[in-house]
Amino acid sequence: MNYFQLFGLEAEFTLDLAELSATYQALQKTVHPDRFAHSSAQQQLLAVQKSAEINDAFQTLKQPISRGEYLLKLRNTDLPAEQETLGDVGFLMEQMELREMLADIEHASDVDAALFAAQETIDVQSQHLWQQLQEKLLVDDQAHNLSAGELLRKLKFYLKLQVELDRIEDSLFD
Amino acid sequence: MAYSEKVIDHYENPRNVGSFDKNDPSVATGMVGAPACGDVMKLQLKIDDQGIIEDAKFKTYGCGSAIASSSLVTEWVKGKSIDEASEIKNTAIAEELALPPVKIHCSILAEDAIKAAIEDYKAKN
């Protein structure tokens, strides 16, 4: 049984997070140790294992990047190893500029405005990639799956930008 | 996790930080990124007409190990021919900086940056 099936879902990228969360709570209740207090050691062990599996499934499906990667794995798409370098020069140039923009925030005359503008830029650009990802994942063929994999790799750079921006914001207001 | 002394030295006193004009025909630019950590690295080589690397500069947004790896590479490539430079392996970088296994990808990034720069040079010339 794959993670989507475990949660009674179709293997699709778009899902309702509130519903996912509610199903998670309901599933965990069915394997709660209290229910197995009088069961055999074997049954108790199975319940613990099931609980761990439900937890892994929830963690994977909750985050859109891991959900996308998991979906591509189910579709038998060979994705580049995590350590494999990304070489899209145009994209990397943009990333360099975005990093420079973040580094300049603390020197801005209006720090609040600079933070706001940086957040907006990151949001708009990453939203654009999420949109493309959603569209690619609607079609299950090799070309679409490979492009989806590439988009997921790019989106990880935006996650990093967000972490950096949050760090800068914290350091400025400490 | 503790950084090695060499990583700290390169991190605190990075060698050859900066940029050359990327439109200069003798300048090769290598851009690479690591999705695992979101690091971005730009390595530029100034190459004379004999194919010898005269100078190198880098700009890296990433962790201490990524900065140290690119800083070290700019020192290593200077004076080398492009063929010699293309033989620099990430294992040598990782060993010199005593990188722990979780930071090996930083050295891979630096090796790939050299390769990307040399490809750019070959495409230009």
Side-chain angles (χ1 to χ4, degrees):
Chain A
M1 202 191 276
N2 72 43
Y3 290 166
F4 288 100
Q5 289 163 342
L6 187 61
F7 275 72
L9 294 166
E10 294 290 324
E12 289 169 350
F13 181 67
T14 309
L15 52 73
D16 182 337
L17 278 178
E19 201 186 305
L20 185 79
S21 210
T23 311
Y24 171 70
Q25 304 292 347
L27 286 172
Q28 282 297 13
K29 265 190 201 143
T30 65
V31 291
H32 195 276
D34 289 352
R35 296 179 60 112
F36 294 86
H38 304 291
S39 306
S40 67
Q42 166 76 3
Q43 279 175 319
Q44 288 183 354
L45 178 67
L46 281 175
V48 168
Q49 285 172 343
K50 194 71 186 170
S51 168
E53 190 193 353
I54 294 165
N55 195 41
D56 285 346
F58 181 57
Q59 297 305 329
T60 302
L61 297 182
K62 192 171 62 167
Q63 304 295 341
I65 287 186
S66 54
R67 180 165 72 240
E69 286 178 337
Y70 183 70
L71 188 56
L72 289 173
K73 207 179 98 189
L74 288 181
R75 294 176 177 183
N76 292 317
T77 307
D78 275 330
L79 294 176
E82 172 103 292
Q83 301 210 332
E84 203 165 305
T85 306
L86 187 114
D88 181 333
V89 174
F91 176 77
L92 291 165
M93 291 280 191
E94 274 172 28
Q95 287 299 308
M96 218 26 130
E97 280 167 24
L98 290 167
R99 288 298 195 97
E100 278 159 14
M101 175 185 76
L102 296 188
D104 287 343
I105 289 175
E106 57 174 325
H107 310 295
S109 52
D110 184 344
V111 170
D112 283 328
L115 280 168
F116 185 79
Q119 186 66 64
E120 200 167 49
T121 306
I122 292 174
D123 287 347
V124 167
Q125 295 190 7
S126 58
Q127 209 47 51
H128 183 64
L129 292 177
W130 284 118
Q131 185 105 35
Q132 283 179 283
L133 177 71
Q134 228 161 349
E135 284 163 20
K136 294 287 177 196
L137 285 172
L138 284 176
V139 186
D140 179 8
D141 64 27
Q142 205 197 9
H144 283 81
N145 288 337
L146 288 175
S147 331
E150 197 58 23
L151 286 162
L152 282 167
R153 276 156 67 77
K154 289 182 176 173
L155 279 160
K156 288 184 184 174
F157 287 87
Y158 282 93
L159 275 193
K160 177 70 182 188
L161 285 168
Q162 189 62 56
V163 169
E164 276 298 299
L165 183 59
D166 292 344
R167 191 188 57 77
I168 291 166
E169 194 166 356
D170 285 349
S171 72
L172 287 172
F173 295 110
D174 262 353
Chain B
M1 182 198 56
Y3 281 123
S4 72
E5 260 174 52
K6 277 177 181 162
V7 169
I8 292 167
D9 177 35
H10 277 280
Y11 180 72
E12 287 179 346
N13 314 292
R15 321 325 186 232
N16 310 306
V17 174
S19 291
F20 297 123
D21 174 9
K22 69 176 183 337
N23 297 315
D24 178 342
S26 69
V27 170
T29 304
M31 293 278 300
V32 286
C37 50
D39 290 356
V40 195
M41 190 180 283
K42 179 172 82 175
L43 175 69
Q44 289 188 304
L45 309 176
K46 207 169 168 42
I47 299 167
D48 72 10
D49 46 18
Q50 308 295 317
I52 302 296
I53 298 164
E54 288 180 318
D55 204 356
K57 287 202 183 298
F58 83 94
K59 190 159 194 187
T60 293
Y61 286 98
C63 66
S65 302
I67 290 167
S69 295
S70 29
S71 169
L72 175 70
V73 155
T74 57
E75 283 190 322
W76 276 2
V77 295
K78 272 192 216 181
K80 283 194 163 73
S81 70
I82 54 173
D83 287 341
E84 286 165 344
S86 67
E87 279 166 20
I88 294 174
K89 291 277 175 283
N90 84 281
T91 44
I93 300 165
E95 191 180 338
E96 171 72 15
L97 296 172
L99 297 181
V102 294
K103 292 291 176 184
I104 296 300
H105 66 272
C106 300
S107 62
I108 296 177
L109 201 58
E111 178 190 326
D112 287 346
I114 303 174
K115 287 184 183 147
I118 291 172
E119 261 174 50
D120 181 55
Y121 179 74
K122 287 181 174 163
K124 266 184 174 174
N125 292 276

